[in-house]
Amino acid sequence: MDDYNLSYQCRGNDGRPHSPQQNSMDLISLFIFFVVCPQESNVCCKMSFSIKIYADRYLQIFVQLLIVTQFVIIKMQGNWFVAYLNCIELFGGKPAFSYMARNNHNDKSQVPNTRVGRLLRERELRRSGRTSDATDGIRGLEISDIDSSSGSSSTEHNVESEESESPERRPIKQRLLVVANRLPVSAVRKGEDSWSLDISAGGLVSALLGVTDFEARWIGWAGVNVPDEIGQKALTKALAEKRCIPVFLDEETVHLYYNGYCNNILWPLFHYLGLPQEDRLATTRSFQSQFAAYKKANQMFADVVIEHYEEGDIIWCHDYHLMFLPKCLKDYNSQMKVGWFLHTPFPSSEIHRTLPSRSELLRAVLCADLVGFHTYDYARHFVSACARILGLEGTPEGVEDQGRLTRVAAFPIGIDSERFTRALEVPKVQEYIRELKERFAGRVVMLGVDRLDMIKGIPQKILAFEKFLEDSPEWRDKVVLLQIAVPTRTEVAEYQKLTSQVHEIVGRVNGRFGTLTAVPIHHLDRSLDFAALCAIYAITDVALVTSLRDGMNLVSYEFVACQNSKKGVLILSEFAGAAQSLGAGAILINPWNITEVAAAIGQALNMPAEEREKRHHHNFVHVTTHTAQKWAEVFVSELNDTVIEAQQRIRIVPPQLLAGDAIRRYLESDNRLLILGFNAALTEPYDIPERRGRDQIKEMELKLHPELKQPLTMLCSDPKTTVLILSGSDRNVLDDNFWEHDLWLAAEHGMFLRSTKGDWMTTMPENLNMDWVDSVKHVFEYFTERTPRSIFEERHTSLVWNYKYSDVEFGRLQAMDMLQHLWTGPISNSSVDVVQGSRSVEVRAVGVTKGAAIDRIIGEVVHSKGMSSPIDYVLCIGHFLERDEDIYTFFEPELPPDSMGGSRSKSTDSTSRHGSEKRPTPPKLQTVGRSNSSRRSSGGSSSGSGRRSTQEETAWNVVDLKSENYFSCAVARTRTHARYLINSSEDVVSFIKEIAAAGASPSNSSY
């Protein structure tokens, strides 16, 4: 059935709403309309129906009846479903109601729930020449980017209505801000206020020129120094015509940022060339200044992006030059949609960890919503580096940090293949082809096109060719190698040395195998124009790509695109990113193995025509379908969807704790209970993930933060405040840290309790089964021996195996092996809970949780302190595992606010002692609005102890807590049941110092 959206608004020509009597007439007309126009099924329809209201009611009725008559006539003709009916507007009337129907079967608002489903749907829309609009989840609610030229959607439109639609109602394309180090233009200054601009033809330029679904803007450095304001304004104006926005960098920043940190440190490292060797302190200081300039330049890029940013824009950052940019942007506005793509390889974690600024760069990139690489290997290396260096969780989707997922994926770039195939039909290119065929008639042509760079493997290529000529003398006068070596960084000594080396090898080979009329190698130290390059690609029989390490290498793609007639053979290095895309049709080689490359040359030259055609067809289909335009479309689509998925996937993050509100409520209360976790909440911040394991002995020794000693003393001395330290740690750990404070200690998740002025007592349930301990202990000891730097802790109620100092990958595998063994063996029939932390495995008896122990703890505290007034304020702060977060929900109201009156109260029995050990008696809990008898029957069992409290009546409530006086706070855990969030233990220290100072201050008016 069709869905009818109805908006009903009746107003006169003075703009005032109609009276009830007038509205009744309108409703009668509306009723007649639905009678004569019943719902139709399986019809794609969209109809707008308007009634104008006039001052003269009789005229209104007449017009309304006329409208209904018109619809009846149109309906009888069978075409009213595609009609737009607009009544003649008389006397300036305003619409009374409008009607629109849409067919559910074709409704685009029905967005798939899964990421893959949404992306598949988006792919189908692109293939059918359509673009999804604002109702699509793939674009986001604030976006409307239907390609108006496509003329298609899930609902049929009337062509005349589309043409007559006002410009204000036409869909607006989503803006795409492309941020790269260099703008796609070459700027030359012609005068004080005039510039000449030439568009550069690069892979990224051609990729985004084909993306028509977005309104693209380029942001980057123009490649020239413009110190004067007049020149900057003139260049900005000239670039605006090219949809480019400049970032102006001074010469010093460019030298340190671009020539220094980018090209001298990051580029060699990412290509496995290692860091420059330091031989003096001046080099170290230079590295530091280069890194500072790198961050400064990234912030300058961010400032320009922020200046031109509009809500809903997509920001696409490119390459290693701008690794800090995602962080700069997210620090300004966390709602920005930011993607980052690396066009070079990303090294393994063992290489990346040598970089001094390794952690800062990784964390900056992780601020992006989507991180893209050319191949899966590079993406895997990045995830591994985040796991091993930052201690974060790597998942199949990306990297997760406290509930926030940064998606990491592979997006192999392509080329604009049609540009090359069209170029082959140009007369100038065909003339080049004829000349080249005549020049190399009778010889097989091999081709290499590379930048003259260390990573391109040009010396290895020429040595392999020399080896082939040496082993195959019959080919010496039948084959020629054309090597195009485009000079780069000619002022750098290493590149000058490489140039000399290549020239030396070429001279030796030509001298050894050349003749007076021909040489085997034609070497050019220059670039070629596009027409000449296409012609050389077209006449080549074998293309030889011997990159030692290459992000993608699009030369292989360009060669394939120009070979649909010749069907030449591609020899491709396995260390080039293109090998993962074109490997099936190419001959893959290891460029370091000269003998293997020489053999591959022979295989290519002797390959049968049928095999050549099959290999070429496979690669040609890939190159022509996986174009640069498709690459850009897919990345932007997945970036849009990543933002949507994040909103669906992550729980609602609790708000930050407002210290002022919590302190004000604290001061207004009469009996306060402060429940504080210990580890990662009150401890010194030794265990920083990226520095984890540097000093394991020191990190393992839990120490109270030194700045908390005085604030805790102040809180404990307040007679209105009770402080409880609730931790999973051993009793000795708590004794060592809190012996000098007058507070309560609850160790091993609350199973042991004592006041610092008294002795330890147990709060364990009487029927706690611990028969499983010995068998599990043997398993934990075995895996501790087999996992270097892992730790086994034996407690009275649980066993813990911790591998946070071990190799993260090996530790995770060992933990999986351990759990599989435990579930199938020692604990298969035991009453235990297995609690998995981020780097730990803990086995506990059932019922050993902080929430299960808290009511027994409160009962003992109330009895021992002789409290005569109920607890009316509770503050609970901790970094607890999910299994222990029942402590947060324990104090939450159990009944809806309307039936509870906004407060919750609990009653307690007299405490008693059981056996030879001290055991607190759990309090009976009573909720306002419930009968005492019903609550008493469940008082003991609520703790999980299996025991019930005595049935004697109580005269007062233990806890009388209003909702606004309860503050549960999770420390550095966004996935939590707590009401509020505190970012770090340092923030906990600041808050406790503040609340202690407020309680001790004679004047608290500021709160």
Side-chain angles (χ1 to χ4, degrees):
M1 299 297 291
D2 294 334
D3 291 338
Y4 292 89
N5 293 340
L6 177 67
S7 62
Y8 180 76
Q9 183 183 38
C10 295
R11 295 179 181 270
N13 63 341
D14 57 356
R16 291 179 296 181
H18 283 172
S19 64
Q21 293 81 5
Q22 293 171 327
N23 284 336
S24 63
M25 297 298 298
D26 300 325
L27 290 172
I28 292 173
S29 299
L30 182 62
F31 172 76
I32 296 173
F33 167 74
F34 278 108
V35 170
V36 299
C37 300
Q39 296 183 6
E40 302 282 340
S41 62
N42 300 322
V43 178
C44 183
C45 61
K46 180 177 181 181
M47 181 184 64
S48 176
F49 175 80
S50 299
I51 296 179
K52 304 299 182 179
I53 304 303
Y54 307 98
D56 190 328
R57 290 299 299 167
Y58 295 103
L59 182 58
Q60 293 172 27
I61 296 172
F62 172 77
V63 173
Q64 289 171 336
L65 291 176
L66 178 61
I67 290 172
V68 173
T69 304
Q70 288 176 330
F71 266 96
V72 172
I73 295 173
I74 296 173
K75 175 177 171 58
M76 292 175 64
Q77 294 175 350
N79 63 356
W80 67 275
F81 291 103
V82 294
Y84 282 84
L85 180 62
N86 292 302
C87 305
I88 300 175
E89 184 173 348
L90 302 177
F91 309 117
K94 296 184 179 181
F97 66 90
S98 61
Y99 163 85
M100 178 182 289
R102 66 178 185 271
N103 188 284
N104 273 341
H105 301 287
N106 297 308
D107 183 12
K108 292 197 299 181
S109 64
Q110 295 178 342
V111 180
N113 292 327
T114 65
R115 178 181 62 83
V116 175
R118 290 191 297 271
L119 294 175
L120 285 174
R121 182 171 179 272
E122 179 74 3
R123 179 175 178 268
E124 290 301 317
L125 290 174
R126 287 199 304 268
R127 291 181 64 181
S128 61
R130 298 180 296 178
T131 307
S132 54
D133 64 1
T135 60
D136 264 324
I138 199 74
R139 295 296 189 211
L141 296 177
E142 76 284 1
I143 302 161
S144 178
D145 59 346
I146 301 177
D147 187 354
S148 57
S149 63
S150 64
S152 62
S153 68
S154 62
T155 308
E156 294 292 333
H157 293 274
N158 181 276
V159 177
E160 293 182 1
S161 300
E162 286 281 305
E163 292 176 353
S164 62
E165 190 175 13
S166 63
E168 292 79 5
R169 297 183 60 185
R170 291 174 186 167
I172 301 174
K173 291 184 178 181
Q174 186 177 17
R175 294 208 321 168
L176 175 64
L177 302 183
V178 180
V179 192
N181 176 61
R182 286 292 299 271
L183 290 173
V185 296
S186 299
V188 179
R189 193 165 190 172
K190 297 297 185 181
E192 185 179 14
D193 58 352
S194 63
W195 291 84
S196 173
L197 304 178
D198 292 323
I199 296 294
S200 305
L204 184 59
V205 179
S206 60
L208 295 172
L209 285 177
V211 180
T212 58
D213 299 343
F214 302 91
E215 181 184 338
R217 294 285 188 276
W218 286 78
I219 298 177
W221 177 48
V224 293
N225 181 35
V226 190
D228 60 297
E229 186 177 351
I230 295 177
Q232 292 182 3
K233 289 183 178 180
L235 180 57
T236 301
K237 182 178 179 180
L239 288 172
E241 298 177 359
K242 306 290 186 182
R243 294 191 173 185
C244 294
I245 302 168
V247 178
F248 294 105
L249 303 176
D250 58 81
E251 287 187 352
E252 182 181 4
T253 301
V254 170
H255 175 69
L256 294 174
Y257 146 72
Y258 180 68
N259 298 325
Y261 198 77
C262 292
N263 289 341
N264 192 42
I265 295 179
L266 290 183
W267 191 91
L269 184 77
F270 284 8
H271 289 86
Y272 290 80
L273 299 179
L275 294 173
Q277 296 295 320
E278 301 182 42
D279 55 0
R280 55 186 184 275
L281 287 177
T283 307
T284 301
R285 287 191 289 268
S286 176
F287 287 172
Q288 294 171 350
S289 61
Q290 289 174 4
F291 184 56
Y294 180 84
K295 292 194 290 184
K296 175 185 175 182
N298 275 248
Q299 185 60 55
M300 294 172 71
F301 276 86
D303 293 340
V304 176
V305 173
I306 292 169
E307 180 183 353
H308 294 85
Y309 173 79
E310 297 177 4
E311 186 176 357
D313 287 354
I314 291 179
I315 303 171
W316 192 359
C317 312
H318 287 271
D319 230 355
Y320 58 92
H321 311 88
L322 301 175
M323 295 181 74
F324 253 90
L325 185 57
K327 181 181 186 302
C328 297
L329 296 175
K330 288 288 189 175
D331 286 346
Y332 171 76
N333 183 353
S334 61
Q335 301 304 313
M336 284 184 173
K337 295 181 181 180
V338 180
W340 182 79
F341 190 88
L342 183 65
H343 293 267
T344 68
F346 192 89
S348 70
S349 59
E350 293 303 310
I351 298 295
H352 184 76
R353 72 187 308 144
T354 62
L355 187 64
S357 53
R358 57 191 185 180
S359 299
E360 289 183 80
L361 288 176
L362 289 176
R363 288 204 173 273
V365 171
L366 286 175
C367 290
D369 299 295
L370 176 63
V371 175
F373 299 90
H374 282 308
T375 70
Y376 172 72
D377 283 345
Y378 307 156
R380 176 171 53 85
H381 290 163
F382 178 80
V383 173
S384 177
C386 293
R388 293 176 180 273
I389 297 173
L390 300 181
L392 302 180
E393 189 72 22
T395 71
E397 293 294 319
V399 179
E400 188 171 357
D401 183 11
Q402 297 297 330
R404 183 187 183 275
L405 177 70
T406 297
R407 187 154 184 270
V408 180
F411 303 91
I413 195 174
I415 63 171
D416 185 1
S417 57
E418 291 185 0
R419 179 168 177 253
F420 287 87
T421 55
R422 288 194 305 265
L424 297 179
E425 306 298 326
V426 176
K428 181 179 180 181
V429 176
Q430 292 186 352
E431 179 63 26
Y432 276 139
I433 292 175
R434 283 192 295 270
E435 292 177 0
L436 290 171
K437 285 183 177 180
E438 293 176 1
R439 174 66 179 83
F440 299 109
R443 306 184 75 178
V444 176
V445 177
M446 297 180 61
L447 176 65
V449 180
D450 307 278
R451 283 186 298 106
L452 192 52
D453 205 312
M454 275 84 71
I455 66 167
K456 296 299 182 180
I458 297 177
Q460 287 79 2
K461 180 188 303 183
I462 300 175
L463 289 174
F465 185 61
E466 181 183 20
K467 173 69 174 173
F468 168 74
L469 295 178
E470 183 181 84
D471 295 343
S472 306
E474 69 277 9
W475 281 99
R476 292 177 184 176
D477 58 348
K478 298 179 182 179
V479 64
V480 60
L481 172 63
L482 307 181
Q483 177 61 53
I484 313 299
V486 181
T488 179
R489 303 186 70 184
T490 55
E491 72 284 355
V492 179
E494 289 82 357
Y495 286 79
Q496 295 171 358
K497 182 179 179 181
L498 174 65
T499 302
S500 300
Q501 180 187 10
V502 171
H503 289 173
E504 179 183 346
I505 300 174
V506 170
R508 186 183 71 240
V509 174
N510 283 340
R512 183 180 177 188
F513 300 106
T515 65
L516 292 175
T517 58
V519 291
I521 300 177
H522 288 243
H523 181 86
L524 294 180
D525 277 334
R526 65 182 181 88
S527 60
L528 298 178
D529 61 59
F530 181 69
L533 185 62
C534 290
I536 290 181
Y537 281 145
I539 62 100
T540 297
D541 296 281
V542 178
L544 190 54
V545 178
T546 57
S547 301
L548 305 180
R549 186 71 60 177
D550 220 344
M552 196 64 182
N553 193 292
L554 296 180
V555 167
S556 55
Y557 278 66
E558 295 170 358
F559 167 75
V560 171
C562 295
Q563 280 285 313
N564 206 28
S565 297
K566 190 108 179 181
K567 297 177 175 55
V569 181
L570 173 63
I571 299 176
L572 182 59
S573 167
E574 63 186 52
F575 299 112
Q580 295 196 13
S581 302
L582 304 180
I587 300 176
L588 295 182
I589 49 96
N590 176 5
W592 294 100
N593 190 336
I594 304 301
T595 303
E596 178 186 333
V597 179
I601 293 175
Q603 179 187 352
L605 294 177
N606 294 289
M607 185 177 292
E610 182 180 359
E611 182 181 351
R612 288 165 63 108
E613 185 171 353
K614 287 181 179 179
R615 286 177 177 268
H616 169 74
H617 175 73
H618 184 282
N619 284 346
F620 187 78
V621 170
H622 181 88
V623 169
T624 54
T625 55
H626 295 75
T627 62
Q629 293 83 0
K630 294 293 184 184
W631 164 76
E633 287 176 355
V634 170
F635 185 91
V636 175
S637 294
E638 294 226 13
L639 175 57
N640 268 318
D641 190 76
T642 297
V643 176
I644 294 171
E645 185 183 17
Q647 296 169 353
Q648 296 176 347
R649 178 181 179 276
I650 302 177
R651 299 179 188 177
I652 298 177
V653 177
Q656 294 287 327
L657 174 66
L658 297 177
D661 186 39
I663 295 174
R664 179 173 58 83
R665 295 286 180 180
Y666 173 87
L667 297 175
E668 293 174 353
S669 57
D670 296 320
N671 193 1
R672 311 138 181 164
L673 175 62
L674 273 56
I675 304 173
L676 306 177
F678 181 47
N679 192 6
L682 305 181
T683 54
E684 290 183 280
Y686 287 134
D687 191 13
I688 302 173
E690 50 261 48
R691 297 186 60 84
R692 181 176 290 157
R694 293 287 187 86
D695 192 343
Q696 182 175 343
I697 300 300
K698 194 171 185 178
E699 293 173 17
M700 289 170 55
E701 187 178 1
L702 297 178
K703 290 291 186 182
L704 177 67
H705 199 292
E707 296 183 20
L708 281 177
K709 292 184 178 181
Q710 181 63 27
L712 278 179
T713 301
M714 297 167 61
L715 290 173
C716 295
S717 62
D718 189 341
K720 293 183 178 181
T721 302
T722 301
V723 179
L724 169 67
I725 306 299
L726 181 57
S727 172
S729 299
D730 186 78
R731 287 174 285 181
N732 293 330
V733 174
L734 298 187
D735 282 338
D736 292 341
N737 283 280
F738 298 99
W739 62 270
E740 57 184 328
H741 298 92
D742 183 12
L743 44 71
W744 288 80
L745 303 176
E748 297 194 25
H749 309 294
M751 295 299 104
F752 294 92
L753 176 70
R754 87 173 182 99
S755 166
T756 49
K757 295 181 179 180
D759 298 326
W760 285 101
M761 66 183 73
T762 180
T763 65
M764 289 187 292
E766 292 178 333
N767 59 347
L768 199 66
N769 185 355
M770 302 296 291
D771 296 339
W772 50 269
V773 170
D774 289 339
S775 57
V776 174
K777 179 179 177 181
H778 291 314
V779 175
F780 277 21
E781 289 175 341
Y782 170 79
F783 278 93
T784 303
E785 294 173 358
R786 291 173 52 86
T787 310
R789 301 185 70 179
S790 63
I791 306 167
F792 167 49
E793 299 178 59
E794 183 177 4
R795 300 169 183 168
H796 284 77
T797 57
S798 65
L799 300 177
V800 182
W801 183 69
N802 196 311
Y803 60 93
K804 66 180 178 180
Y805 304 111
S806 306
D807 179 88
V808 61
E809 298 293 338
F810 183 62
R812 186 180 294 115
L813 292 174
Q814 290 290 81
M816 292 171 59
D817 193 12
M818 172 191 287
L819 289 171
Q820 183 178 5
H821 180 75
L822 288 174
W823 284 120
T824 57
I827 64 173
S828 57
N829 297 314
S830 301
S831 181
V832 297
D833 284 333
V834 178
V835 183
Q836 289 183 259
S838 60
R839 299 286 188 274
S840 66
V841 177
E842 181 177 6
V843 179
R844 311 176 183 173
V846 169
V848 178
T849 68
K850 295 177 174 66
I854 190 62
D855 58 348
R856 299 191 291 269
I857 292 173
I858 292 177
E860 178 61 25
V861 171
V862 169
H863 173 79
S864 298
K865 295 191 68 172
M867 290 185 182
S868 58
S869 61
I871 297 172
D872 59 355
Y873 178 93
V874 174
L875 172 67
C876 182
I877 300 176
H879 180 83
F880 301 134
L881 296 176
E882 186 175 0
R883 185 66 182 86
D884 291 317
E885 286 205 339
D886 51 0
I887 183 66
Y888 294 141
T889 58
F890 178 82
F891 294 98
E892 292 287 355
E894 293 182 347
L895 295 178
D898 55 351
S899 63
M900 294 178 60
S903 65
R904 174 182 177 182
S905 60
K906 301 180 181 181
S907 59
T908 185
D909 299 316
S910 301
T911 57
S912 60
R913 300 288 183 267
H914 299 268
S916 59
E917 276 189 309
K918 292 183 179 180
R919 289 183 180 271
T921 301
K924 290 199 304 293
L925 306 178
Q926 178 180 346
T927 303
V928 174
R930 282 184 171 182
S931 64
N932 291 347
S933 59
S934 65
R935 191 57 186 164
R936 274 199 301 269
S937 64
S938 62
S941 61
S942 66
S943 67
S945 65
R947 292 179 285 118
R948 294 187 180 180
S949 58
T950 61
Q951 298 297 316
E952 61 183 273
E953 295 296 328
T954 60
W956 57 277
N957 295 325
V958 172
V959 179
D960 187 8
L961 187 63
K962 295 181 178 180
S963 179
E964 58 268 23
N965 278 6
Y966 175 50
F967 296 87
S968 57
C969 310
V971 181
R973 291 180 65 91
T974 54
R975 289 186 174 185
T976 179
H977 297 293
R979 289 186 172 191
Y980 303 99
L981 176 67
I982 299 180
N983 290 328
S984 66
S985 60
E986 293 293 337
D987 293 334
V988 175
V989 172
S990 299
F991 173 67
I992 292 180
K993 290 167 66 175
E994 192 174 354
I995 198 173
S1001 175
S1003 174
N1004 303 312
S1005 58
S1006 60
Y1007 296 97

